[in-house]
Structure formats: structure tokens, C-alpha cells
Amino acid sequence: MSDLLERLRGRGWRMTAQRRVVAEVLDGDHVHLTADEVHARAVTKLPEISRATVYNTLGELVTIGEVLEVSTDKRAKRYDPNAHQPHHHLVCGQCGAIRDVHPVGNPLADLPDTERFGFTVSDVEMTYRGVCPNCAKA
Amino acid sequence: MSDLLERLRGRGWRMTAQRRVVAEVLDGDHVHLTADEVHARAVTKLPEISRATVYNTLGELVTIGEVLEVSTDKRAKRYDPNAHQPHHHLVCGQCGAIRDVHPVGNPLADLPDTERFGFTVSDVEMTYRGVCPNCAKA
DNA sequence: TGCTTGACTTAGACGTTGTCCATTGTAGGG
DNA sequence: CCCTACAATGGACAACGTCTAAGTCAAGCA
Ligand SMILES: [Mn+2]
Ligand SMILES: [Mn+2]
Ligand SMILES: [Zn+2]
Ligand SMILES: [Zn+2]
């Protein structure tokens, strides 16, 4: 996520310790943290960072399209730094583990005109549900 | 949704005015109300019904599989009485209108083994997003 | 290097959604 | 018509998120 910092600088963002830490926390693959999880991890690197700043920064990252909001569970929103490669999600119903997945085919094409009710359809979000290998063992 | 009441009676549910009213409110097609919307409508028919009872009843209906929880928006859960016919959802990004839709094909088959990470995948939930004809006019 | 300033951060109040519990009420069987 | 177990109620509480007023600081400039 080092180039995320570059892109933010390019957009005229002030580079603060708080924003750097949030960007660091969001680094990696299959990362789908809630705002409070981001805050908890950020605090270990920058103890005085506030909840409001984490919420603000995540909101801004979503607005400019650098981070996606996903709602795979019905509780808190999750923040996904993998915004530049379209993908869907596979969720374990027991432990909540989330993996990025890439189904084949074009699901948009699978919605017939007769099922569109006059809508202009632009996007589709797919959430696969199942049980992860870890939970299956137990 | 009159047969919903029948099924509930068959399961040994006590038929109370509150449960009847919640079932009435959930009657119809393309119904996807939040708990508080259900409560607001229930109150017009039975002014003394409490929020707790609406939440309890919806929770029970979900547990026994007569109603589905859907999370098409990132705020409140929505309750869907159309539980016996599998379907997906089409959501207007402007006004939030939700329609039940039936895409063709089998999206489960579109997730290759190499994209399953050892999970046992049992289900997929699809949310199409777009703009409804009403909002497109404005 | 040291100002200046407006963008940024902070703490905590507040709002919304959802859960829990002790008490009160009642559906439905005997 | 009574019992009593099940259901409803209201209000406290919890989780998640938003907002604001006041203080702080990144970054451009003398
Ligand atoms: Mn993802
Ligand atoms: Mn539906
Ligand atoms: Zn698992
Ligand atoms: Zn619309």
C-alpha cells in the first residue's frame, strides 16, 4: 500500500502520521477490517489516534475510490483496500473469514431484460457463503 | 401471506394480535422493510405494539425460515417475506428501491475450485445495483 | 529557519440500530 | 372460567457510526 500514499500525496492530501498509519493497517491481501479493527491496529502504532480520525480517513478513502466498503456480515461495514481489481467475496459462516474471489463469466449478462424492471444496471456484488477448511475440521 | 399465519399456527405459535399485525405488514411482493419500518406500519394497526416485540417476531420468523434477512444497504437489516422462492436483488442507488430478480445460470458453478480456498461453498447472494426508471427521469 | 493559516485531529456528545431483562399481560388448554 | 407457560412491554444497555467545537500541525512562503 506504499503507492496508496503516493496517490494521496498526488491528490493534495496532507500527509499526517494518522493517515500514514491507517494506510499501513490497510496493507495486504484479503484485508477486510471493520473501522474499529482498523482503529485497534492503528492504536498500536500511534496510541493517540482517535476513532473519529479513523472513520474520517476511511470515509475519504472510500469517496475517492481507493478503498471499498463491503457488507459481508450484517453488523459493521468492512473496508477493502483491494479497490483496483474487481472481485467478489467468499465468507465463512462460522468464523467470518473472508477471501477475495474471481468467478468466471459475466453475471451482469445473466440478468435478462425482463428482470430489470427498467433499471439501468451498472454493477453486481456477489457474496459466496460456506465453511472454511479450518472450521470444517472442528 | 395468509398461509404464513397458517404455518405459524401449525408450528404451535400462539396467535397474538402483535404477530398477526407483523405478518400483515410483511404481506406482498418486493417487500424489504427494516425492523423499524415494520414497527412504524404495525403501530398504525395496533398502536401499543412495542419495538421489542417487532424485533423478537422478526427474529423468530428468520429462525424458522419464513422470512429472510437481506443486507442490500449498509445500514439496517431488511426483512424479506419471499423466503420460499430463491431470488436475488436489484437495488436503486438513488432512492433505495429494491426488486426481486431471478438471474439465469448457476452462479455457484461459476466459482472455480482454484478460487474456493478449500471452502465448502453452499450459497451465493447477488446484489445488482443501478438506477430505477423513476430516478432516471429526474 | 520561523511564521501563518487552513486543513486536520481530537474527545466526547449524540443518533440509529439492535439486544436484553424484569415485569406485566394473555392465549389457549383443562 | 382459571391457570400457567408463553408472549409483550418499556426501558436500560450495547455496538456502530456521525457530528461539532476547540486545539494542533503540515506545508507553503518570507
Ligand atoms: Mn475484497
Ligand atoms: Mn427479496
Ligand atoms: Zn471459518
Ligand atoms: Zn430510484
Side-chain angles (χ1 to χ4, degrees):
Chain A
M1 199 75 355
S2 45
D3 48 11
L4 171 56
L5 287 175
E6 288 314 313
R7 285 199 294 273
L8 296 182
R9 219 185 300 269
R11 284 171 181 271
W13 275 35
R14 274 200 201 166
M15 280 319 305
T16 65
Q18 290 83 349
R19 286 173 170 174
R20 257 188 299 269
V21 164
V22 169
E24 270 178 49
V25 167
L26 290 176
D27 193 14
D29 286 333
H30 305 284
V31 170
H32 307 91
L33 299 168
T34 67
D36 279 331
E37 286 166 354
V38 172
H39 181 242
R41 298 185 186 203
V43 159
T44 70
K45 296 164 185 268
L46 186 68
E48 67 275 22
I49 191 173
S50 75
R51 246 170 42 89
T53 293
V54 171
Y55 274 95
N56 286 343
T57 305
L58 291 172
E60 291 158 355
L61 288 168
V62 169
T63 298
I64 66 179
E66 294 287 350
V67 165
L68 298 176
E69 258 177 26
V70 302
S71 19
T72 49
D73 69 43
K74 297 179 177 69
R75 323 260 252 21
K77 297 174 194 168
R78 293 185 171 274
Y79 292 90
D80 185 341
N82 185 11
H84 295 297
Q85 190 198 21
H87 65 277
H88 299 276
H89 292 108
L90 170 56
V91 182
C92 174
Q94 325 248 277
C95 70
I98 305 175
R99 313 297 318 238
D100 289 349
V101 294
H102 305 83
V104 302
N106 177 7
L108 271 189
D110 288 344
L111 191 65
D113 275 342
T114 56
E115 286 284 293
R116 295 191 179 209
F117 301 96
F119 280 54
T120 305
V121 183
S122 52
D123 190 33
V124 60
E125 198 178 308
M126 305 176 71
T127 304
Y128 291 89
R129 301 195 180 274
V131 178
C132 78
N134 249 340
C135 290
K137 275 199 302 245
Chain B
M1 197 78 352
S2 45
D3 49 10
L4 171 55
L5 287 175
E6 290 312 314
R7 287 198 294 273
L8 297 182
R9 219 185 300 269
R11 285 171 180 270
W13 273 35
R14 270 196 204 170
M15 282 317 306
T16 66
Q18 291 84 348
R19 285 171 170 174
R20 257 189 299 270
V21 164
V22 170
E24 271 178 49
V25 167
L26 290 176
D27 192 15
D29 286 332
H30 305 284
V31 170
H32 307 91
L33 299 169
T34 67
D36 279 330
E37 286 167 355
V38 171
H39 181 242
R41 297 186 187 201
V43 159
T44 68
K45 297 164 184 268
L46 186 68
E48 68 275 21
I49 190 172
S50 73
R51 251 173 98 260
T53 293
V54 170
Y55 274 95
N56 286 342
T57 305
L58 291 173
E60 291 158 356
L61 289 168
V62 169
T63 297
I64 66 180
E66 294 287 350
V67 164
L68 299 176
E69 257 176 28
V70 303
S71 19
T72 49
D73 70 44
K74 296 178 179 67
R75 323 255 265 12
K77 296 176 196 168
R78 293 185 171 274
Y79 292 89
D80 185 341
N82 186 10
H84 295 298
Q85 191 198 19
H87 65 277
H88 298 277
H89 292 108
L90 171 55
V91 182
C92 173
Q94 325 248 280
C95 70
I98 304 174
R99 314 295 319 234
D100 289 348
V101 294
H102 304 84
V104 300
N106 177 8
L108 270 190
D110 289 344
L111 191 65
D113 274 343
T114 57
E115 287 284 290
R116 295 191 180 210
F117 300 96
F119 280 55
T120 306
V121 183
S122 52
D123 190 34
V124 61
E125 198 178 309
M126 305 175 70
T127 304
Y128 291 89
R129 302 194 179 275
V131 178
C132 79
N134 249 340
C135 290
K137 275 199 300 246

